[in-house]
Every structure is written in structure tokens, then in C-alpha cells.
């Protein structure tokens, strides 16, 4: 199974700050056939189901604000949230869909400082 | 618009069988893959398995032979059944929609249901 390791596990931020969440996979998620990385990011707020933010490691889902930026390739990926808003306080998960069993990171909890 | 809603029993006794229904609207089950994902205190988010647009299934080996996923396209429903429940199966169970597992498509989970909380306890 592909293991997804996220860091940090929690992050305390002030509104307006830029934050970076890291995700590392135990094997490459870059498929040579199309040069795409099979990595998605989700946001989960308390009491809600996960919401897709980013797929193909860097493509924003429709309706997602452009302050959410996904980057990285191979085994190392980053979700950057620029100018954090209060509504961004949530847990963020990375997920690989390169191969089954699909696997998720343990999550990064974004909290207010 | 796309909607998914899970309905489950709430409380299940250990060793018993869990049955959850996911009712969908706004799309056809014959055009998309339907996934089951659960979230437990012990293991976080876990992919359980999917049913393909054509009706075949694939499961996470973690659940060995305990899990079964099926559907009724005429009722726009997808079903999860898992037997031999243990207390560590307590958690929220979600159905989610994805495009398909072919490498060209990308099988991220674009739409999720609200989830149904399952508590395994005697």
C-alpha cells in the first residue's frame, strides 16, 4: 500500500498568514503515461464531509478560491493557503488515487493562533 | 444537482452485519464509480472499495471478505454490507462519487454524502 505522510499534524495561524502543508507518498504518484500526479487535497470542517479542493496535485476544483494552491511532483507535495481566512480553519487531507487501495494522509488541523 | 445521502442503522451490535444505503440524484450510476470511505477514530479516513460504472467491484483487502458493495440502478441506490462488526468499526461511513479508475480519468472523490455515523456496541 502507498503510505501518505502529512506534516505538520497541526498548525496555528493568524488570519492573513500564508500556510504550507506537506504531504509525502511512499512511492511516486507521477504516472509516466500522462505526466500527471495522482494526488488530491480535501478540506474537512467540523461535522462536515470532506470537500475536494485540488486534484492532479495542482488543479483547483471548480469554485475553490485561488488562495488554495497545490504543488509538487513524484513523492513530495504541498498545499499552500495564502492569506488564510477564518473560514479556512479545518482539517486538510491529501489522498493518492494512483493505485488501490487509495490512501489518505492523517490530516493537518489548521487552528487559530 | 449532484446529491448523495447515506442512511444507516446508527447502532449495530458486535459480530452483526452493517447495512448502509447511499441514495443518489443528479447523475446516473452507470456513468460513474461509487466509492465507500469511512472515518474512524483509530485509522482516520479509509477507502473501503468501489463499484464501477459497469457494476463490478473492488475492495480494500483490509476488509478481507467482510465487505460487499452492490447497487440498484433503477432506484439510484448503492449498498454497503459488512459483516462480523467489531467495536473498532465505529465511525462515519461516506459514499462518494468519482470518475473512474482508468489512469486517464483520475479517481478523485469529487462529491461526498453527508455520512452516517455507525456505532458498534452491545
Amino acid at each position: 500500500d502507498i503510505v501518505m505522510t502529512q506534516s505538520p499534524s497541526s498548525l496555528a495561524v493568524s488570519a492573513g498568514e500564508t500556510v504550507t502543508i506537506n504531504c509525502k507518498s511512499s512511492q511516486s504518484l507521477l504516472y509516466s503515461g500522462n505526466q500527471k500526479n495522482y494526488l488530491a487535497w480535501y478540506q474537512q470542517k467540523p461535522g462536515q464531509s470532506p470537500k475536494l479542493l485540488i486534484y492532479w496535485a495542482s488543479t483547483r476544483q471548480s469554485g475553490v478560491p485561488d488562495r488554495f494552491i497545490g504543488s509538487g511532483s513524484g513523492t513530495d507535495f504541498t498545499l499552500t493557503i495564502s492569506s488564510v481566512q477564518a473560514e479556512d480553519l479545518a482539517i486538510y487531507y491529501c489522498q493518492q488515487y494512483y493505485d488501490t487501495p487509495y490512501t489518505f494522509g492523517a490530516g493537518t488541523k489548521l487552528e487559530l493562533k | 444537482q449532484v446529491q448523495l445521502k447515506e442512511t444507516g442503522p446508527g447502532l449495530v451490535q458486535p459480530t452483526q452485519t452493517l447495512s448502509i444505503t447511499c441514495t443518489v440524484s443528479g447523475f446516473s450510476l452507470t456513468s460513474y464509480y461509487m466509492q465507500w470511505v469511512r472515518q474512524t477514530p483509530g485509522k482516520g479516513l479509509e477507502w473501503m472499495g468501489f463499484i464501477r460504472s459497469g457494476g463490478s467491484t473492488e475492495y480494500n483487502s483490509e476488509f478481507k471478505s467482510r465487505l460487499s458493495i452492490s447497487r440498484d440502478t433503477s432506484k439510484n441506490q448503492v449498498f454497503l454490507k459488512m459483516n462480523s462488526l467489531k467495536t473498532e468499526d465505529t465511525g462515519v461511513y461516506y459514499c462518494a462519487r468519482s470518475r473512474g479508475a482508468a489512469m486517464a480519468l483520475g479517481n478523485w472523490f469529487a462529491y461526498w454524502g453527508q455520512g452516517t455515523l455507525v456505532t458498534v456496541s452491545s
Side-chain angles (χ1 to χ4, degrees):
Chain A
D1 298 2
I2 299 175
V3 177
M4 306 299 291
T5 303
Q6 278 185 246
S7 63
S9 56
S10 66
L11 203 48
V13 299
S14 300
E17 285 186 11
T18 294
V19 301
T20 298
I21 298 170
N22 301 299
C23 176
K24 189 175 184 67
S25 57
S26 61
Q27 65 184 72
S28 178
L29 303 182
L30 178 64
Y31 178 53
S32 58
N34 57 14
Q35 291 299 298
K36 290 187 175 182
N37 288 281
Y38 286 61
L39 188 281
W41 289 97
Y42 300 87
Q43 174 194 65
Q44 187 177 32
K45 296 181 178 180
Q48 297 185 16
S49 53
K51 171 190 171 184
L52 176 68
L53 295 177
I54 303 258
Y55 55 93
W56 294 137
S58 61
T59 302
R60 265 187 302 275
Q61 172 72 337
S62 174
V64 173
D66 59 8
R67 63 178 180 274
F68 291 91
I69 301 167
S71 61
S73 185
T75 61
D76 292 281
F77 301 91
T78 298
L79 175 68
T80 301
I81 311 172
S82 59
S83 190
V84 168
Q85 310 290 303
E87 68 206 48
D88 300 334
L89 301 180
I91 301 176
Y92 292 85
Y93 297 94
C94 59
Q95 179 233 340
Q96 65 82 17
Y97 50 93
Y98 185 91
D99 195 12
T100 57
Y102 303 132
T103 47
F104 294 83
T108 295
K109 186 174 185 179
L110 205 58
E111 301 173 299
L112 260 183
K113 193 178 287 183
Chain B
Q1 75 270 29
V2 173
Q3 291 188 318
L4 299 81
K5 184 175 181 181
E6 306 90 344
T7 51
L11 179 65
V12 182
Q13 294 197 334
T15 75
Q16 297 302 300
T17 297
L18 170 66
S19 295
I20 301 174
T21 298
C22 173
T23 303
V24 308
S25 60
F27 66 97
S28 172
L29 293 176
T30 59
S31 298
Y32 293 91
Y33 280 39
M34 290 300 296
Q35 313 276 347
W36 286 96
V37 176
R38 74 176 187 179
Q39 189 166 30
T40 63
K43 292 197 171 183
L45 288 165
E46 281 185 288
W47 174 75
M48 300 182 74
F50 59 59
I51 184 164
R52 296 180 176 87
S53 52
S56 60
T57 54
E58 183 168 338
Y59 303 118
N60 187 336
S61 61
E62 176 76 15
F63 300 98
K64 297 181 182 177
S65 57
R66 294 202 293 151
L67 179 63
S68 173
I69 298 172
S70 60
R71 71 183 185 183
D72 184 336
T73 56
S74 67
K75 294 183 178 180
N76 294 320
Q77 292 180 326
V78 183
F79 310 106
L80 176 147
K81 284 194 176 180
M82 189 163 70
N83 58 31
S84 304
L85 282 197
K86 313 163 199 171
T87 55
E88 51 263 45
D89 292 317
T90 292
V92 179
Y93 288 71
Y94 297 100
C95 59
R97 191 192 90 170
S98 65
R99 295 204 299 169
M103 291 306 274
L105 288 177
N107 213 11
W108 59 83
F109 307 156
Y111 295 92
W112 296 65
Q114 67 195 23
T116 186
L117 175 62
V118 174
T119 302
V120 183
S121 174
S122 54

